[in-house]
């Protein structure tokens, strides 16, 4: 998510906004900017890159004024460059905006505005909003009315902060859905606005939290809050006693825990703007995939590292099942030494959260050299992987700070699911009804993930039972075999316990010799097409004295009788099962590591992005 800061009062807004943005650095971003009303003119300074560059720019060309807004941007639409950085001005330079969230219908609105003669300067979806506001202002509305009318036209979740030079006694703030918060800090004849408490905690502890579908008119000495029909609302002023550092993680002790719990939001964003639930169609605007290309594909290599590679293994099953295209998963560090057989009808699909992983980039280069078309599923917009690819799918998961990947695992799983459907539709390998059913199942994902998260206490209990184990086996089969690998990786990388993911069917070919009552076995056995086979795995492990924790679908009495512990997950369409099954395993790894007092966010020897071979 991006960061927002605003100020209106008697002081100079510039240092307040800049220092507030600095406080939000932890959220991860790739560009920054601020707008100040100075001598009745809106002045803007923006940079690509880190906030220190913005400080330098402002010291070289200072800004001074009593009203200002600022933003740190994590790019979802358009490269992270100065042009796309917020704030964005309207064409008449009367009104300026900063925005968190995704305008799901920005393409159609942008077309309509261009028809009206609007000249866009950036590639962002945000710019659509400020031009809409300007259109309503020119029809004679006040700034608050114009913002409300603009909000009625946009779809998605948003945090919006706007001011106009023609009504310089107020800032308008609005929150739609959950694209990060909108907080109003109450001072003495001054008010502060932020997407996160840490940005303004130095100035006040009296906070008003906007709720979804609410809009505020913020003046230096009063705040009025309305619903989107213009009805005035009462509100509470809270006293926040967080210390600034812990405020950065909100209620969470670690970024990893925060990011595990962000997966309802991040998956809503992953799906946002890609699914037409009227016609049940998928579209990826940045992939340049059409019917002709889809039909021409004779093979897809999926290449990635670590967690991303495990997502690729799920993608193989999905794309082969739905689109009937042969898929081979080759980890990045092996790909370029594997002499891959590639021609002009081959796709090399990379997956990378950072977009800077050296082994994955090398694999992409190798594929390009051999004539393949290169795609990437990437979270960091503007990263090297995105730049060298012929087309990309943005994970739209927001910045991931914890080294252990969580939401940047579930996001590509859903992207791969949607890609499989799109390829299947373009290649006529699925019927319309099959497509509609598969698309319809996407609606279930946020609630199913949310349901898993509500069961965290059950996981804490199991984590306590496993806290002192030295080894652990994770067994999975079919579409949940990668779940076993990923679950084991989560545990080993943050708890330093030797954990191994294994194809369940392979146990009898050797590894079963490892099982005794000191070897807990986590068996991933939800109701999926491989379920029946997993029952015997549980029995085999039990017969050798193993302590078996089975991940099972709600209501499964058989597994409840034979396993020592059960991790329950809600019933899920099998192709989306890996998205759900990994949630409790993320939580299990987190709680075991936390109980062991380890540095969950920065595990020893690991980096968030491995930019060396
Ligand atoms: C996963 O928790 C690790 N952080 C690591 O395996 C990671 O997935 C791998 O290094 C790939 O990183 P990328 O997605 O940024 O390319």
């Amino acid at each position: 998510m991006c960061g927002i800061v605003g100020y209106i009062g008697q002081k100079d807004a510039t240092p307040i906004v800049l220092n507030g943005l600095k406080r939000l650095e932890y959220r991860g971003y790739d560009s920054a900017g601020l707008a100040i009303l100075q001598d009745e003119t809106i002045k803007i300074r923006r940079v690509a890159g880190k906030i220190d560059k913005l400080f330098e720019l402002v010291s070289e060309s200072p800004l001074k004024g009593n009203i200002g807004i600022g933003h740190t941007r994590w790019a979802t639409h358009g490269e992270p460059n100065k042009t796309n950085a917020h704030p964005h001005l309207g064409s008449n330079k009367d009104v300026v905006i900063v925005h968190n969230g995704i305008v799901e219908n920005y393409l159609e609105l942008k077309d309509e505005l261009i028809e009206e003669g609007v000249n866009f300067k950036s590639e962002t979806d945000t710019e659509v909003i400020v031009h809409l506001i300007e259109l309503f202002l020119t029809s004679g509305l006040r700034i608050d009315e114009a913002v409300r009318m603009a909000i009625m036209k946009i779809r998605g979740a948003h945090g919006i902060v706007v001011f106009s030079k023609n009504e310089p006694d107020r800032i308008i703030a609005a929150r739609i859905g959950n694209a990060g918060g909108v907080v109003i800090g109450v001072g003495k004849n001054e008010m502060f606005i932020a997407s996160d408490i840490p940005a303004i905690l130095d100035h006040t502890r009296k906070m008003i939290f906007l709720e979804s579908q609410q809009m505020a008119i913020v003046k230096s000495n009063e705040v009025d809050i309305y619903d989107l029909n213009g009805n005035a609302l009462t509100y509470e002023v809270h006293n926040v006693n967080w210390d600034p550092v812990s405020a950065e993680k909100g209620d969470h002790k670690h970024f990893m825990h925060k990011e595990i719990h962000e997966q309802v939001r991040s998956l809503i964003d992953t799906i946002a703007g890609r699914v037409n639930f009227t016609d049940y169609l998928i579209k990826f605007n940045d992939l340049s995939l059409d019917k002709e290309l889809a039909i021409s594909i004779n093979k897809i290599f999926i290449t990635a590292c670590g967690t991303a590679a495990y997502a690729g293994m799920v993608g193989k099953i999905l794309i082969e099942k739905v689109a009937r295209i042969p898929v081979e998963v080759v980890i990045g560090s092996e790909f370029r030494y594997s002499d891959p057989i590639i021609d002009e009808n081959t796709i090399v699909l990379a997956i990378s959260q950072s977009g800077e992983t050296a082994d994955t980039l090398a694999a992409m280069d190798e594929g390009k050299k051999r004539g393949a078309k290169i795609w990437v599923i990437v979270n960091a917009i503007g990263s090297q992987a995105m730049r060298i690819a012929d087309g990309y799918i943005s994970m739209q998961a927001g910045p991931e700070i914890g080294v252990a990947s969580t939401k940047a695992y579930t996001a590509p799983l859903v992207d791969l699911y949607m890609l499989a459907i799109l390829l299947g539709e373009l290649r006529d390998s699925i019927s319309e009804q099959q497509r509609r059913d598969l698309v319809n199942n996407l609606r279930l994902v946020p609630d199913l993930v949310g349901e898993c998260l509500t069961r965290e206490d059950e996981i804490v209990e199991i984590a306590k039972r496993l806290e002192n184990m030295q080894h652990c086996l994770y067994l999975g089969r079919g579409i949940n075999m990668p779940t076993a690998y990923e679950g084991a990786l989560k545990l080993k990388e943050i708890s330093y316990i030797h954990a191994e993911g294994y194809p369940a069917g392979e146990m009898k070919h050797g590894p079963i010799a490892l099982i005794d009552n000191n070897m807990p076995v986590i068996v991933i056995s939800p109701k999926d097409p491989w379920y029946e086979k997993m029952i015997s795995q549980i029995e085999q492990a039990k017969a050798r004295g193993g302590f078996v924790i089975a991940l099972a679908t709600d209501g499964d009495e058989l597994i409840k009788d034979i396993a020592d512990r059960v991790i329950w997950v809600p019933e899920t369409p099998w192709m989306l099962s890996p998205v759900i099954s990994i949630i409790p395993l993320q939580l299990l790894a987190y709680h075991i590591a936390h109980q062991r007092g380890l540095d969950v966010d920065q595990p020893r020897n690991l980096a968030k992005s491995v930019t060396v071979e």
Side-chain angles (χ1 to χ4, degrees):
M1 255 67 88
C2 315
I4 286 176
V5 182
Y7 174 79
I8 184 167
Q10 320 307 321
K11 297 184 186 110
D12 180 5
T14 302
I16 293 170
V17 172
L18 282 173
N19 290 316
L21 293 177
K22 184 78 179 159
R23 281 274 187 210
L24 296 182
E25 275 212 293
Y26 68 89
R27 295 173 63 107
Y29 64 99
D30 39 47
S31 55
L34 79 165
I36 301 289
L37 184 62
Q38 179 175 298
D39 307 329
E40 298 177 356
T41 305
I42 298 174
K43 306 267 185 158
I44 285 184
R45 302 285 185 269
R46 297 181 298 188
V47 293
K50 294 306 171 194
I51 193 84
D52 293 342
K53 283 177 69 178
L54 186 61
F55 272 86
E56 284 166 28
L57 178 59
V58 172
S59 67
E60 287 156 13
S61 48
L63 295 173
K64 192 172 173 60
N66 300 123
I67 178 172
I69 58 177
H71 189 263
T72 51
R73 176 175 182 252
W74 174 268
T76 56
H77 293 80
E79 294 251 337
N81 56 29
K82 187 174 171 180
T83 311
N84 291 330
H86 300 201
H88 288 286
L89 264 174
S91 309
N92 305 334
K93 302 188 186 335
D94 294 346
V95 61
V96 68
I97 189 173
V98 293
H99 165 239
N100 283 353
I102 293 173
V103 181
E104 292 181 14
N105 57 332
Y106 88 96
L107 284 176
E108 55 241 47
L109 289 172
K110 186 167 184 173
D111 290 344
E112 286 172 25
L113 288 163
I114 290 171
E115 289 279 309
E116 304 258 348
V118 172
N119 171 28
F120 279 80
K121 298 181 186 58
S122 79
E123 306 159 283
T124 65
D125 54 336
T126 300
E127 199 184 343
V128 160
I129 307 174
V130 74
H131 290 311
L132 284 172
I133 292 168
E134 197 165 60
L135 274 184
F136 289 115
L137 282 172
T138 47
S139 65
L141 297 183
R142 296 190 316 265
I143 182 69
D144 58 298
E145 294 167 327
V147 170
R148 193 179 304 122
M149 294 305 288
I151 287 172
M152 297 299 192
K153 289 184 72 71
I154 59 177
R155 284 204 306 270
H158 309 283
I160 292 169
V161 178
V162 170
F163 72 82
S164 162
K165 73 175 187 181
N166 301 323
E167 297 179 66
D169 68 335
R170 64 197 62 194
I171 294 179
I172 309 300
R175 176 178 176 174
I176 310 301
N178 173 25
V182 177
V183 183
I184 299 161
V186 181
K188 287 189 178 53
N189 289 322
E190 59 184 5
M191 298 289 174
F192 307 83
I193 297 169
S195 51
D196 255 332
I197 289 171
I200 54 178
L201 204 55
D202 293 337
H203 306 290
T204 177
R205 291 181 177 276
K206 293 162 71 180
M207 308 272 181
I208 302 165
F209 297 95
L210 277 195
E211 294 180 19
S212 179
Q213 315 297 321
Q214 290 188 348
M215 193 179 79
I217 300 176
V218 182
K219 298 178 183 173
S220 59
N221 57 2
E222 70 176 282
V223 177
D224 295 304
I225 296 179
Y226 302 87
D227 66 19
L228 294 184
N229 297 316
N231 304 312
L233 302 170
T234 58
Y235 57 82
E236 192 181 341
V237 180
H238 299 265
N239 200 48
V240 170
N241 54 12
W242 279 353
D243 68 271
V245 174
S246 62
E248 292 179 358
K249 299 179 189 107
D251 298 334
H252 304 278
K253 283 192 175 58
H254 299 98
F255 283 112
M256 181 182 178
H257 192 259
K258 184 167 185 271
E259 286 148 13
I260 290 172
H261 281 268
E262 277 177 352
Q263 289 177 106
V264 175
R265 163 78 265 148
S266 59
L267 287 167
I268 289 171
D269 284 347
T270 298
I271 295 167
R274 274 83 184 258
V275 185
N276 173 336
F277 282 113
T278 309
D279 306 324
Y280 293 86
L281 291 171
I282 300 289
K283 66 179 162 67
F284 286 116
N285 296 320
D286 303 301
L287 199 56
S288 56
L289 168 61
D290 59 17
K291 194 171 185 64
E292 185 186 355
L293 172 57
I295 290 169
S296 72
I297 299 169
N298 61 14
K299 176 159 185 179
I300 297 176
F301 280 100
I302 295 180
T303 187
C305 301
T307 289
Y310 301 147
M313 292 177 183
V314 174
K316 167 187 167 63
I317 293 170
L318 296 173
I319 294 171
E320 289 188 343
K321 181 71 181 173
V322 176
R324 308 308 292 161
I325 300 172
V327 179
E328 185 177 347
V329 180
V330 183
I331 57 174
S333 52
E334 292 294 322
F335 186 83
R336 76 172 161 184
Y337 305 112
S338 64
D339 192 12
I341 299 165
I342 286 175
D343 65 26
E344 70 281 358
N345 296 319
T346 308
I347 298 284
V348 170
L349 170 60
I351 303 172
S352 178
Q353 189 285 130
S354 63
E356 301 295 349
T357 300
D359 288 329
T360 305
L361 293 173
M364 295 172 76
D365 286 339
E366 185 66 23
K368 192 179 268 285
K369 209 161 54 181
R370 292 174 180 247
K373 190 172 285 302
I374 310 298
W375 291 344
V376 64
I377 299 176
V378 63
N379 200 31
I381 297 296
S383 57
Q384 182 64 4
M386 188 189 132
R387 277 198 291 277
I388 66 178
D390 299 306
Y392 71 92
I393 296 173
S394 164
M395 291 183 193
Q396 294 181 170
E400 188 176 67
I401 311 297
V403 164
S405 216
T406 50
K407 60 182 185 171
Y409 175 68
T410 50
L413 291 181
V414 172
D415 288 327
L416 288 159
Y417 179 86
M418 294 191 285
L419 177 60
I421 296 169
L422 179 55
L423 288 167
E425 180 225 334
L426 294 173
R427 292 167 61 95
D428 296 322
S429 56
I430 49 174
S431 68
E432 181 178 349
Q433 190 52 53
Q434 284 171 319
R435 189 190 81 236
R436 295 172 76 93
D437 294 343
L438 290 171
V439 170
N440 202 40
N441 285 343
L442 278 167
R443 294 177 195 275
L444 306 172
V445 169
D447 288 347
L448 289 172
V449 169
E451 175 57 31
C452 292
L453 294 170
T454 62
R455 303 179 181 184
E456 183 168 13
D457 290 347
E458 297 167 23
I459 303 299
V460 172
E461 284 315 303
I462 294 174
K464 284 192 184 112
R465 170 69 179 71
L466 298 178
E467 183 179 353
N468 299 314
M469 68 181 165
Q470 295 306 308
H471 305 279
C472 188
L473 269 175
Y474 287 69
L475 304 182
R477 209 171 185 131
I479 201 164
N480 277 299
M481 185 175 72
T483 306
Y485 295 153
E486 171 59 10
L489 176 60
K490 288 286 89 63
L491 184 66
K492 72 181 95 172
E493 69 174 323
I494 63 174
S495 71
Y496 315 146
I497 293 169
H498 172 237
E500 202 169 351
Y502 227 89
E506 275 293 286
M507 285 307 291
K508 53 190 174 296
H509 301 288
I512 203 161
L514 287 170
I515 295 183
D516 59 22
N517 55 16
N518 295 317
M519 172 68 83
V521 183
I522 296 177
V523 182
I524 296 129
S525 46
K527 291 286 177 66
D528 63 20
W530 296 270
Y531 168 74
E532 298 300 333
K533 300 286 181 193
M534 294 305 288
I535 300 301
S536 60
Q537 298 309 155
I538 295 172
E539 287 161 344
Q540 286 173 32
K542 286 293 294 167
R544 284 146 185 90
F547 180 78
V548 175
I549 301 114
L551 185 146
T553 300
D554 288 347
D556 189 330
E557 292 301 319
L558 171 57
I559 285 193
K560 186 178 172 186
D561 289 343
I562 60 176
D564 295 293
R565 290 286 191 290
V566 180
I567 295 173
W568 295 106
V569 293
E571 188 157 6
T572 302
W574 72 269
M575 288 193 206
L576 291 164
S577 166
V579 181
I580 306 312
S581 302
I582 198 61
I583 304 295
L585 302 183
Q586 293 170 344
L587 289 169
L588 182 64
Y590 170 79
H591 284 292
I592 290 173
H594 181 39
Q595 284 165 188
R596 291 185 161 212
L598 297 170
D599 183 351
V600 170
D601 285 333
Q602 302 289 342
R604 68 186 181 197
N605 313 332
L606 292 177
K608 182 59 186 168
S609 175
V610 183
T611 55
V612 293
E613 286 197 41

